[in-house]
Amino acid sequence: MSVLPTPQQNHLLAALPAEVQDRIFPHLELVSLPLGKVLYESGDTLCHAYFPTDAIISLLYVMESGASAEILMVGNDGLISVASFMGGESTPSRGIVQCAGYAYRLLGKRLKDEFDRHGELLHLMLRYTQALITQTAQTAVCNRHHSIDQQLCRLLLLLMDRLPDNQLTMTQELIANMLGVRREGVTEAAGKLQKLGVIEYSRGHIKVLDRPKLEELSCECYAIVKKEAERLLPNIYFPASGYSSE
């Protein structure tokens, strides 16, 4: 019998003071998020906020041609739908599940009501939003100026920070959509990493074998995003990795 995740497995929820948790937790709804599920499309009214526990959700910008690129990703470090408390109520991006798992869902109005108390949740969410802005800006810079090899390393590191171990299930097509590049480019970049012994890749399953080497091969973008997130949200955004690469 599998053990269902708890709200505390989401680091933002875990960081809230007890009195805020007491007000919010009774209204959280655990939902299963299968791979590829679209939580909302561009322009949709955002009725819920999602706090992932072991799933990873990407925000993608989709062009009229159908081409897409990832704007940012969220895992157990945060939440999807900052528009719920920032007043926007909608977004021009698509929210899609890139790694299957669970999340706790909360009505956007309840989150906004707590935000409007001007207490600890407000300060936490504003710092979290600033961290997301950094991730979004650095992703744009990385996609413009760095090689596919470096972009893939950055992406894998961000994914590993949000997963309980060093393995993930993700096809090359999904990775290509996230990076906004051709699938052939991802195939070539993944092949290089595998030859170097950094990853093991087979049929959509990726296992990171040498994280230090992966960080070495990545561009500076990953380190910048991580450093800023740790400054804004110490012990929340990027908890120490608890897995072994063995």
Side-chain angles (χ1 to χ4, degrees):
M1 183 175 176
S2 59
V3 178
L4 294 176
T6 66
Q8 286 84 355
Q9 287 175 243
N10 177 279
H11 301 300
L12 269 186
L13 292 177
L16 293 171
E19 63 270 20
V20 179
Q21 292 182 353
D22 289 343
R23 288 193 294 268
I24 287 180
F25 281 18
H27 304 288
L28 293 173
E29 176 191 4
L30 183 65
V31 292
S32 176
L33 300 180
L35 179 66
K37 179 179 176 63
V38 176
L39 300 182
Y40 56 81
E41 291 284 3
S42 172
D44 287 353
T45 299
L46 305 180
C47 299
H48 294 89
Y50 291 84
F51 296 84
T53 56
D54 54 356
I56 293 180
I57 304 166
S58 288
L59 295 192
L60 301 178
Y61 189 87
V62 183
M63 307 293 288
E64 290 182 358
S65 65
S68 64
E70 185 182 64
I71 301 169
L72 58 88
M73 73 169 66
V74 173
N76 57 8
D77 56 296
L79 83 154
I80 283 289
S81 184
V82 296
S84 296
F85 56 83
M86 295 296 285
E89 298 183 351
S90 68
T91 175
S93 57
R94 170 188 291 168
I96 185 170
V97 179
Q98 300 289 21
C99 289
Y102 287 91
Y104 277 91
R105 186 169 70 177
L106 180 69
L107 278 173
K109 184 181 183 306
R110 289 198 180 276
L111 181 60
K112 181 65 163 58
D113 288 346
E114 186 64 39
F115 186 85
D116 288 342
R117 286 175 176 266
H118 291 196
E120 181 56 33
L121 183 138
L122 178 146
H123 299 295
L124 182 64
M125 293 302 171
L126 288 181
R127 294 197 303 273
Y128 174 70
T129 301
Q130 184 174 340
L132 288 186
I133 291 171
T134 299
Q135 185 189 153
T136 302
Q138 205 64 40
T139 297
V141 171
C142 190
N143 290 346
R144 176 65 179 85
H145 293 287
H146 294 140
S147 68
I148 296 178
D149 294 9
Q150 291 172 311
Q151 291 179 50
L152 178 59
C153 291
R154 170 184 59 82
L155 178 64
L156 290 176
L157 287 166
L158 289 173
L159 288 166
M160 290 299 104
D161 283 336
R162 292 160 173 81
L163 292 171
D165 54 35
N166 61 332
Q167 302 183 56
L168 68 135
T169 300
M170 183 172 288
T171 65
Q172 291 184 357
E173 183 176 358
L174 273 176
I175 294 174
N177 288 338
M178 293 171 75
L179 296 178
V181 300
R182 297 182 64 187
R183 180 178 175 179
E184 291 80 4
V186 174
T187 301
E188 183 179 349
K192 291 178 183 177
L193 290 178
Q194 185 155 255
K195 287 180 180 178
L196 290 171
V198 178
I199 67 170
E200 183 180 278
Y201 180 83
S202 176
R203 296 181 181 180
H205 181 80
I206 300 174
K207 181 178 182 180
V208 174
L209 303 174
D210 190 343
R211 177 169 179 138
K213 186 65 175 179
L214 190 63
E215 293 186 10
E216 180 184 324
L217 294 171
S218 179
C219 52
E220 70 267 26
C221 296
Y222 167 72
I224 290 172
V225 170
K226 182 176 181 180
K227 182 178 179 180
E228 180 67 357
E230 288 178 334
R231 182 185 72 83
L232 292 165
L233 301 161
N235 302 319
I236 296 176
Y237 204 89
F238 287 101
S241 175
Y243 67 78
S244 167
S245 62
E246 293 301 322

